[in-house]
Structure formats: structure tokens, C-alpha cells
Amino acid sequence: MIISVITKIEHSINTFNNNSFFIRFVLAFAVFYSHMFAIYGLKEPTLLWGNHSLGWYAVNGFFFISGLLVAQSYQNRDVYSYLMARFFRIMPAYLASLIVVLVTVFLFSDIKFNFEWFYKFLKFLFQNIIPFDSVNVSMSGTWSDSAQPNALNNSLWTIPFEIFCYIIIIPLLLSNTKYRPRIFLLFVIAIFIYLKLLGAISFSHISLDLLRVLIYFGIGVTTYLIVKEKKINIYFLFFCSILVLFEGNIKETILGYVVVLSILYFGFYVKMIFTIKNDYSYGLYIYAWPISQAANGGEFKISTMH
């Protein structure tokens, strides 16, 4: 029975005859919906008995399903085509989102555009144009009438973490290369340096809030390995154990697994719910915040520009 379920999920993943686009759109909409409450100064809704916001659980789900699908992509491509696919998946929309941020601030925020602001805009653009470390998502003096003042696009913080997953976690878990001890040690050091750049760890603290997305991504990757190899692997047990430690609350841990199992069931086990040819979830996720800030009542200033 279990093997037949796993086989069906594997076939669903490999043939792309699944509900992954639909599930990702639902998750992106959940982030958008949750953020709208924050932007309007209201308490964000949660999920079932959870203590966190609805957006929190949706982002976790995003990283799980991303790990599952990117693992499949990695093992069915050469390194070059894999990296190109990841680049064109992330970067064009990400770079466009920086422009959207600046345009919405210029048109709808109550700033006074002068040389100082022009310098701030350029600084924001060039600091974030290559998202390998933590993204600066705020700028002082913008959206002063919003419940989230200075917040340009709070959704962008996940992008460097997703890139980290693509170039670190995926090769580490799926590569067949047997690292020599010294090379593996250098690889581990590189991981800690990268996480420090992301602001997830330092000599004084570890941000479990940030690291939890990497755990969900790892669960996604190792779930793919289980589906492919038809057996439990040690990496899967490792990530599941770490998740228990990170949550520190048995109810939250159970809810995390409910999210994962629901995505696996509705996304890859049941028959296709809707025929969706394109994945619009990333666009909804990455553009929603600045547009929501503008819709929150920022002053429309086109008339003053003449």
C-alpha cells in the first residue's frame, strides 16, 4: 500500500501531472493575504492552532515544495542547465521587483524626491541587485502613513535563502561525489560563512526563525529521495529531528508536518484539480507587498509631477 502511494507520487512528479502550480498559487495567496493584515495594522491570521502568522506557514510550505521539485530538476539536468534554470526562475522577476518597489514608492509614497532620495534609491538598487546575502527591504522616510513604515518589500528576505538552497543544500544532499575530508570541511566552513552573510548565524546568536526555511527545503529534497529510492534515508530523519528542536513546541511541530503532508497529498497524490499551464505564484509572492503598500492609501502624486 505504502509503496503504491509512493510510486503514484513519483509518477506525478516526473510527468508533471500534478497540482504543484495550484498549491504554490494558494501558498502565495496566503502570504499576500497575511501581509495585507500587517500592512493595515491588523493582527495577521494564523493557521488552525498555530502561534505564527498564516504567511509563516505558507513560506514553510513554499520551501518544502521547492525542495521537492528542485531536487527532481537537479537530478534530471546537467549542472549548467540546472543553474541556468534556477537563474531564470529567480532573477528576472526579482530584478523587476526592485523596479516595482522604486516606482510604487515614487508614485504613491509621501517622499520629497531630491538628490538625497535619488542617492537612497540607487543605493537600494545596487545593494540588492545580486541577492547572495541578506536583502535590505526598508528605506527610511517611505510609507510613513502605513502600519509598516519604511518597509519596501518584506517578501524579498526569502530570495537569498532560496539561492542558498539551490547552490548549497541541493548539491550537498544529491551529489554522488564522495568528498575528501579536507574538501568537505571547507564546504562546511563555506556554509557557515554564507549563513553569516544571510544574518542567520553570528557569534552571539542563531536566528531559528530564518533557518527554519532551510529545514523545510531539506525535508522537501529528502522526501524526493524517499519517493525515488523507496526507502527512508538518514538525511530525512536528520531534518525531521532538527525541525522538532527548532519548533520547541509539539503542537507547532505537528502543524508543520500537517502542512507538509497536505502539500504532498493535494499536490502530488490526488488527481489534477485545475489545468494550469504556467506558475504565477512567484510573481504574486514577489510583487504583492509593494502593490499592497500602494493600495493602502499612499498619496497618488502623478498630478503633482506636471
Side-chain angles (χ1 to χ4, degrees):
M1 175 64 181
I2 294 178
I3 295 298
S4 65
V5 170
I6 291 176
T7 301
K8 184 174 180 179
I9 292 175
E10 180 186 22
H11 181 265
S12 173
I13 294 173
N14 292 333
T15 61
F16 302 100
N17 184 26
N18 56 57
N19 295 303
S20 60
F21 284 178
F22 174 68
I23 296 298
R24 290 171 81 143
F25 185 86
V26 170
L27 293 173
F29 184 83
V31 173
F32 157 72
Y33 180 74
S34 187
H35 281 171
M36 282 295 292
F37 281 79
I39 289 173
Y40 280 88
L42 304 173
K43 183 179 179 181
E44 294 186 59
T46 188
L47 179 67
L48 300 176
W49 60 83
N51 296 321
H52 303 291
S53 70
L54 179 62
W56 160 288
Y57 300 105
V59 168
N60 293 343
F62 252 124
F63 272 80
F64 168 74
I65 198 171
S66 181
L68 189 69
L69 296 176
V70 174
Q72 190 269 351
S73 174
Y74 179 84
Q75 293 210 322
N76 287 276
R77 299 174 184 264
D78 57 67
V79 173
Y80 176 78
S81 62
Y82 165 76
L83 291 176
M84 287 298 98
R86 294 304 96 204
F87 176 86
F88 286 108
R89 166 66 178 174
I90 290 292
M91 291 305 295
Y94 169 76
L95 294 176
S97 75
L98 300 182
I99 303 301
V100 169
V101 163
L102 298 180
V103 169
T104 52
V105 166
F106 180 69
L107 292 179
F108 297 99
S109 184
D110 57 351
I111 65 167
K112 294 181 179 180
F113 195 77
N114 51 33
F115 179 79
E116 179 185 359
W117 281 112
F118 182 69
Y119 171 75
K120 286 186 177 183
F121 285 174
L122 289 180
K123 184 178 180 181
F124 167 81
L125 186 62
F126 286 105
Q127 277 185 338
N128 297 318
I129 200 166
I130 301 178
F132 280 131
D133 57 3
S134 55
V135 174
N136 177 21
V137 298
S138 64
M139 183 187 297
S140 61
T142 59
W143 306 120
S144 58
D145 293 331
S146 169
Q148 297 289 326
N150 308 322
L152 298 180
N153 192 342
N154 284 7
S155 298
L156 295 184
W157 74 268
T158 63
I159 304 302
F161 282 86
E162 192 159 359
I163 293 174
F164 174 92
C165 292
Y166 293 163
I167 67 176
I168 299 292
I169 293 183
I170 286 286
L172 183 63
L173 295 181
L174 299 183
S175 176
N176 293 323
T177 303
K178 294 183 178 179
Y179 298 100
R180 294 179 180 179
R182 292 181 181 178
I183 296 178
F184 182 75
L185 179 60
L186 290 175
F187 196 80
V188 172
I189 292 173
I191 290 176
F192 280 98
I193 292 174
Y194 201 160
L195 290 177
K196 190 174 187 303
L197 286 174
L198 294 175
I201 63 173
S202 69
F203 294 111
S204 60
H205 78 285
I206 297 177
S207 178
L208 303 184
D209 181 28
L210 298 180
L211 290 178
R212 107 265 180 183
V213 296
L214 306 182
I215 301 304
Y216 279 95
F217 188 89
I219 293 175
V221 175
T222 52
T223 297
Y224 173 75
L225 288 177
I226 291 174
V227 168
K228 182 181 179 182
E229 299 171 357
K230 309 295 189 298
K231 62 180 182 180
I232 300 290
N233 61 75
I234 190 171
Y235 298 122
F236 177 79
L237 297 176
F238 168 77
F239 282 112
C240 288
S241 299
I242 292 296
L243 180 62
V244 174
L245 295 176
F246 271 32
E247 293 293 359
N249 182 314
I250 188 61
K251 290 185 178 180
E252 285 294 334
T253 302
I254 292 173
L255 185 54
Y257 291 135
V258 168
V259 170
V260 165
L261 291 174
S262 297
I263 291 173
L264 200 59
Y265 178 76
F266 290 105
F268 301 96
Y269 184 74
V270 303
K271 293 182 179 180
M272 186 177 288
I273 301 172
F274 298 107
T275 301
I276 304 177
K277 296 182 178 180
N278 299 297
D279 183 6
Y280 300 104
S281 62
Y282 183 49
L284 174 59
Y285 174 80
I286 207 168
Y287 299 128
W289 182 280
I291 294 174
S292 297
Q293 281 280 42
N296 184 31
E299 182 181 2
F300 186 67
K301 302 188 304 178
I302 288 182
S303 61
T304 66
M305 294 167 56
H306 298 289

